[in-house]
Amino acid sequence: DGDRRVAAARVAAKPGDPGEEVARWLGLASVAVLQQAARRTFGVSAREIAKLDAGAIAERLVRQETRWA
């Protein structure tokens, strides 16, 4: 699941990719599910992930992992 989150962040961070395509590539049912996952995991919308640098993405992933541990 952690690998999927990293992949999601990398894919969502690419400007110009349609949300439907990103959701489908990640195996999600819809853009709405993608948005929910982005907010739950990173605390921002999928579009806003593109504004995060690698350090911020890693920090949010670690925070998420420790929250569920």
PDB file of all heavy atoms in Angstrom, residues 9-24 34 46-51:
ATOM      1  N   ALA A   9       1.402   9.618  -5.727  1.00  0.00           N
ATOM      2  CA  ALA A   9       1.938  10.977  -5.591  1.00  0.00           C
ATOM      3  C   ALA A   9       2.706  11.379  -6.836  1.00  0.00           C
ATOM      4  O   ALA A   9       2.557  12.488  -7.344  1.00  0.00           O
ATOM      5  CB  ALA A   9       2.845  11.068  -4.366  1.00  0.00           C
ATOM      6  N   ARG A  10       3.519  10.467  -7.358  1.00  0.00           N
ATOM      7  CA  ARG A  10       4.296  10.773  -8.563  1.00  0.00           C
ATOM      8  C   ARG A  10       3.401  11.007  -9.771  1.00  0.00           C
ATOM      9  O   ARG A  10       3.615  11.927 -10.545  1.00  0.00           O
ATOM     10  CB  ARG A  10       5.279   9.649  -8.854  1.00  0.00           C
ATOM     11  CG  ARG A  10       6.407   9.612  -7.870  1.00  0.00           C
ATOM     12  CD  ARG A  10       7.376   8.529  -8.214  1.00  0.00           C
ATOM     13  NE  ARG A  10       8.485   8.540  -7.277  1.00  0.00           N
ATOM     14  CZ  ARG A  10       9.281   7.526  -7.072  1.00  0.00           C
ATOM     15  NH1 ARG A  10       9.110   6.418  -7.745  1.00  0.00           N
ATOM     16  NH2 ARG A  10      10.256   7.606  -6.204  1.00  0.00           N
ATOM     17  N   VAL A  11       2.383  10.173  -9.915  1.00  0.00           N
ATOM     18  CA  VAL A  11       1.480  10.314 -11.054  1.00  0.00           C
ATOM     19  C   VAL A  11       0.637  11.570 -10.912  1.00  0.00           C
ATOM     20  O   VAL A  11       0.480  12.343 -11.849  1.00  0.00           O
ATOM     21  CB  VAL A  11       0.581   9.067 -11.193  1.00  0.00           C
ATOM     22  CG1 VAL A  11      -0.511   9.301 -12.215  1.00  0.00           C
ATOM     23  CG2 VAL A  11       1.419   7.873 -11.592  1.00  0.00           C
ATOM     24  N   ALA A  12       0.090  11.797  -9.726  1.00  0.00           N
ATOM     25  CA  ALA A  12      -0.771  12.955  -9.518  1.00  0.00           C
ATOM     26  C   ALA A  12       0.010  14.263  -9.629  1.00  0.00           C
ATOM     27  O   ALA A  12      -0.562  15.303  -9.928  1.00  0.00           O
ATOM     28  CB  ALA A  12      -1.452  12.859  -8.160  1.00  0.00           C
ATOM     29  N   ALA A  13       1.306  14.200  -9.389  1.00  0.00           N
ATOM     30  CA  ALA A  13       2.126  15.407  -9.445  1.00  0.00           C
ATOM     31  C   ALA A  13       2.444  15.855 -10.867  1.00  0.00           C
ATOM     32  O   ALA A  13       2.965  16.931 -11.075  1.00  0.00           O
ATOM     33  CB  ALA A  13       3.427  15.194  -8.676  1.00  0.00           C
ATOM     34  N   LYS A  14       2.121  15.026 -11.844  1.00  0.00           N
ATOM     35  CA  LYS A  14       2.377  15.405 -13.231  1.00  0.00           C
ATOM     36  C   LYS A  14       1.279  16.340 -13.716  1.00  0.00           C
ATOM     37  O   LYS A  14       0.129  15.924 -13.856  1.00  0.00           O
ATOM     38  CB  LYS A  14       2.418  14.167 -14.133  1.00  0.00           C
ATOM     39  CG  LYS A  14       3.584  13.269 -13.889  1.00  0.00           C
ATOM     40  CD  LYS A  14       3.533  12.104 -14.858  1.00  0.00           C
ATOM     41  CE  LYS A  14       4.693  11.170 -14.623  1.00  0.00           C
ATOM     42  NZ  LYS A  14       4.623  10.019 -15.526  1.00  0.00           N
ATOM     43  N   PRO A  15       1.607  17.595 -13.935  1.00  0.00           N
ATOM     44  CA  PRO A  15       0.576  18.512 -14.400  1.00  0.00           C
ATOM     45  C   PRO A  15       0.065  18.116 -15.785  1.00  0.00           C
ATOM     46  O   PRO A  15       0.807  17.615 -16.614  1.00  0.00           O
ATOM     47  CB  PRO A  15       1.274  19.868 -14.446  1.00  0.00           C
ATOM     48  CG  PRO A  15       2.709  19.616 -14.265  1.00  0.00           C
ATOM     49  CD  PRO A  15       2.897  18.202 -13.805  1.00  0.00           C
ATOM     50  N   GLY A  16      -1.208  18.292 -15.996  1.00  0.00           N
ATOM     51  CA  GLY A  16      -1.788  18.037 -17.301  1.00  0.00           C
ATOM     52  C   GLY A  16      -2.396  16.662 -17.484  1.00  0.00           C
ATOM     53  O   GLY A  16      -3.133  16.432 -18.423  1.00  0.00           O
ATOM     54  N   ASP A  17      -2.084  15.714 -16.593  1.00  0.00           N
ATOM     55  CA  ASP A  17      -2.699  14.396 -16.706  1.00  0.00           C
ATOM     56  C   ASP A  17      -4.143  14.473 -16.229  1.00  0.00           C
ATOM     57  O   ASP A  17      -4.411  14.969 -15.140  1.00  0.00           O
ATOM     58  CB  ASP A  17      -1.952  13.358 -15.861  1.00  0.00           C
ATOM     59  CG  ASP A  17      -0.673  12.885 -16.517  1.00  0.00           C
ATOM     60  OD1 ASP A  17      -0.487  13.153 -17.710  1.00  0.00           O
ATOM     61  OD2 ASP A  17       0.135  12.250 -15.834  1.00  0.00           O
ATOM     62  N   PRO A  18      -5.076  13.988 -17.025  1.00  0.00           N
ATOM     63  CA  PRO A  18      -6.478  14.004 -16.611  1.00  0.00           C
ATOM     64  C   PRO A  18      -6.699  13.136 -15.377  1.00  0.00           C
ATOM     65  O   PRO A  18      -6.121  12.056 -15.248  1.00  0.00           O
ATOM     66  CB  PRO A  18      -7.228  13.423 -17.804  1.00  0.00           C
ATOM     67  CG  PRO A  18      -6.262  13.392 -18.929  1.00  0.00           C
ATOM     68  CD  PRO A  18      -4.885  13.409 -18.334  1.00  0.00           C
ATOM     69  N   GLY A  19      -7.530  13.622 -14.453  1.00  0.00           N
ATOM     70  CA  GLY A  19      -7.813  12.880 -13.230  1.00  0.00           C
ATOM     71  C   GLY A  19      -8.367  11.505 -13.487  1.00  0.00           C
ATOM     72  O   GLY A  19      -8.042  10.549 -12.784  1.00  0.00           O
ATOM     73  N   GLU A  20      -9.197  11.371 -14.531  1.00  0.00           N
ATOM     74  CA  GLU A  20      -9.775  10.073 -14.846  1.00  0.00           C
ATOM     75  C   GLU A  20      -8.686   9.066 -15.210  1.00  0.00           C
ATOM     76  O   GLU A  20      -8.728   7.910 -14.827  1.00  0.00           O
ATOM     77  CB  GLU A  20     -10.779  10.174 -16.008  1.00  0.00           C
ATOM     78  CG  GLU A  20     -11.987  11.023 -15.715  1.00  0.00           C
ATOM     79  CD  GLU A  20     -11.751  12.511 -15.973  1.00  0.00           C
ATOM     80  OE1 GLU A  20     -10.682  12.888 -16.511  1.00  0.00           O
ATOM     81  OE2 GLU A  20     -12.635  13.285 -15.612  1.00  0.00           O
ATOM     82  N   GLU A  21      -7.693   9.536 -15.955  1.00  0.00           N
ATOM     83  CA  GLU A  21      -6.593   8.666 -16.374  1.00  0.00           C
ATOM     84  C   GLU A  21      -5.757   8.242 -15.170  1.00  0.00           C
ATOM     85  O   GLU A  21      -5.372   7.079 -15.043  1.00  0.00           O
ATOM     86  CB  GLU A  21      -5.723   9.395 -17.394  1.00  0.00           C
ATOM     87  CG  GLU A  21      -4.623   8.553 -17.977  1.00  0.00           C
ATOM     88  CD  GLU A  21      -3.830   9.308 -19.033  1.00  0.00           C
ATOM     89  OE1 GLU A  21      -4.435  10.053 -19.826  1.00  0.00           O
ATOM     90  OE2 GLU A  21      -2.608   9.138 -19.044  1.00  0.00           O
ATOM     91  N   VAL A  22      -5.476   9.183 -14.280  1.00  0.00           N
ATOM     92  CA  VAL A  22      -4.691   8.879 -13.081  1.00  0.00           C
ATOM     93  C   VAL A  22      -5.440   7.868 -12.218  1.00  0.00           C
ATOM     94  O   VAL A  22      -4.866   6.888 -11.765  1.00  0.00           O
ATOM     95  CB  VAL A  22      -4.384  10.166 -12.280  1.00  0.00           C
ATOM     96  CG1 VAL A  22      -3.721   9.835 -10.951  1.00  0.00           C
ATOM     97  CG2 VAL A  22      -3.507  11.107 -13.094  1.00  0.00           C
ATOM     98  N   ALA A  23      -6.723   8.097 -12.002  1.00  0.00           N
ATOM     99  CA  ALA A  23      -7.528   7.180 -11.190  1.00  0.00           C
ATOM    100  C   ALA A  23      -7.528   5.783 -11.797  1.00  0.00           C
ATOM    101  O   ALA A  23      -7.343   4.790 -11.090  1.00  0.00           O
ATOM    102  CB  ALA A  23      -8.955   7.708 -11.054  1.00  0.00           C
ATOM    103  N   ARG A  24      -7.715   5.697 -13.095  1.00  0.00           N
ATOM    104  CA  ARG A  24      -7.747   4.403 -13.777  1.00  0.00           C
ATOM    105  C   ARG A  24      -6.389   3.709 -13.657  1.00  0.00           C
ATOM    106  O   ARG A  24      -6.309   2.516 -13.385  1.00  0.00           O
ATOM    107  CB  ARG A  24      -8.140   4.607 -15.238  1.00  0.00           C
ATOM    108  CG  ARG A  24      -8.412   3.347 -15.987  1.00  0.00           C
ATOM    109  CD  ARG A  24      -8.939   3.584 -17.403  1.00  0.00           C
ATOM    110  NE  ARG A  24      -8.519   4.837 -18.006  1.00  0.00           N
ATOM    111  CZ  ARG A  24      -9.344   5.867 -18.276  1.00  0.00           C
ATOM    112  NH1 ARG A  24     -10.611   5.790 -18.037  1.00  0.00           N
ATOM    113  NH2 ARG A  24      -8.889   6.977 -18.809  1.00  0.00           N
ATOM    114  N   LEU A  34     -10.059   8.985  -6.009  1.00  0.00           N
ATOM    115  CA  LEU A  34      -8.695   9.522  -6.058  1.00  0.00           C
ATOM    116  C   LEU A  34      -8.571  10.735  -5.137  1.00  0.00           C
ATOM    117  O   LEU A  34      -7.623  10.846  -4.371  1.00  0.00           O
ATOM    118  CB  LEU A  34      -8.321   9.894  -7.499  1.00  0.00           C
ATOM    119  CG  LEU A  34      -6.996  10.615  -7.691  1.00  0.00           C
ATOM    120  CD1 LEU A  34      -5.821   9.730  -7.286  1.00  0.00           C
ATOM    121  CD2 LEU A  34      -6.852  11.076  -9.137  1.00  0.00           C
ATOM    122  N   ALA A  46      -5.646  15.963  -4.981  1.00  0.00           N
ATOM    123  CA  ALA A  46      -4.712  15.332  -5.922  1.00  0.00           C
ATOM    124  C   ALA A  46      -3.980  16.388  -6.743  1.00  0.00           C
ATOM    125  O   ALA A  46      -2.786  16.272  -7.011  1.00  0.00           O
ATOM    126  CB  ALA A  46      -5.457  14.361  -6.826  1.00  0.00           C
ATOM    127  N   ARG A  47      -4.662  17.437  -7.148  1.00  0.00           N
ATOM    128  CA  ARG A  47      -4.039  18.505  -7.938  1.00  0.00           C
ATOM    129  C   ARG A  47      -2.966  19.247  -7.128  1.00  0.00           C
ATOM    130  O   ARG A  47      -1.938  19.641  -7.657  1.00  0.00           O
ATOM    131  CB  ARG A  47      -5.110  19.484  -8.407  1.00  0.00           C
ATOM    132  CG  ARG A  47      -4.617  20.522  -9.374  1.00  0.00           C
ATOM    133  CD  ARG A  47      -5.757  21.364  -9.889  1.00  0.00           C
ATOM    134  NE  ARG A  47      -6.763  20.542 -10.533  1.00  0.00           N
ATOM    135  CZ  ARG A  47      -6.883  20.409 -11.842  1.00  0.00           C
ATOM    136  NH1 ARG A  47      -6.091  21.040 -12.641  1.00  0.00           N
ATOM    137  NH2 ARG A  47      -7.823  19.640 -12.351  1.00  0.00           N
ATOM    138  N   GLU A  48      -3.208  19.418  -5.823  1.00  0.00           N
ATOM    139  CA  GLU A  48      -2.255  20.140  -4.975  1.00  0.00           C
ATOM    140  C   GLU A  48      -0.992  19.340  -4.670  1.00  0.00           C
ATOM    141  O   GLU A  48       0.012  19.898  -4.251  1.00  0.00           O
ATOM    142  CB  GLU A  48      -2.942  20.569  -3.681  1.00  0.00           C
ATOM    143  CG  GLU A  48      -4.005  21.629  -3.909  1.00  0.00           C
ATOM    144  CD  GLU A  48      -4.861  21.882  -2.687  1.00  0.00           C
ATOM    145  OE1 GLU A  48      -5.114  20.924  -1.931  1.00  0.00           O
ATOM    146  OE2 GLU A  48      -5.271  23.020  -2.501  1.00  0.00           O
ATOM    147  N   ILE A  49      -1.053  18.014  -4.878  1.00  0.00           N
ATOM    148  CA  ILE A  49       0.143  17.194  -4.662  1.00  0.00           C
ATOM    149  C   ILE A  49       1.277  17.676  -5.564  1.00  0.00           C
ATOM    150  O   ILE A  49       2.441  17.638  -5.188  1.00  0.00           O
ATOM    151  CB  ILE A  49      -0.158  15.698  -4.905  1.00  0.00           C
ATOM    152  CG1 ILE A  49      -1.103  15.176  -3.820  1.00  0.00           C
ATOM    153  CG2 ILE A  49       1.120  14.872  -4.924  1.00  0.00           C
ATOM    154  CD1 ILE A  49      -1.619  13.784  -4.071  1.00  0.00           C
ATOM    155  N   ALA A  50       0.938  18.167  -6.733  1.00  0.00           N
ATOM    156  CA  ALA A  50       1.951  18.656  -7.674  1.00  0.00           C
ATOM    157  C   ALA A  50       2.763  19.807  -7.087  1.00  0.00           C
ATOM    158  O   ALA A  50       3.897  20.040  -7.489  1.00  0.00           O
ATOM    159  CB  ALA A  50       1.300  19.091  -8.978  1.00  0.00           C
ATOM    160  N   LYS A  51       2.213  20.514  -6.133  1.00  0.00           N
ATOM    161  CA  LYS A  51       2.911  21.654  -5.517  1.00  0.00           C
ATOM    162  C   LYS A  51       3.840  21.223  -4.382  1.00  0.00           C
ATOM    163  O   LYS A  51       4.634  22.020  -3.902  1.00  0.00           O
ATOM    164  CB  LYS A  51       1.887  22.654  -4.987  1.00  0.00           C
ATOM    165  CG  LYS A  51       1.012  23.231  -6.083  1.00  0.00           C
ATOM    166  CD  LYS A  51      -0.064  24.107  -5.498  1.00  0.00           C
ATOM    167  CE  LYS A  51      -1.023  24.551  -6.597  1.00  0.00           C
ATOM    168  NZ  LYS A  51      -2.187  25.249  -6.053  1.00  0.00           N
TER     169      LYS A  51
END
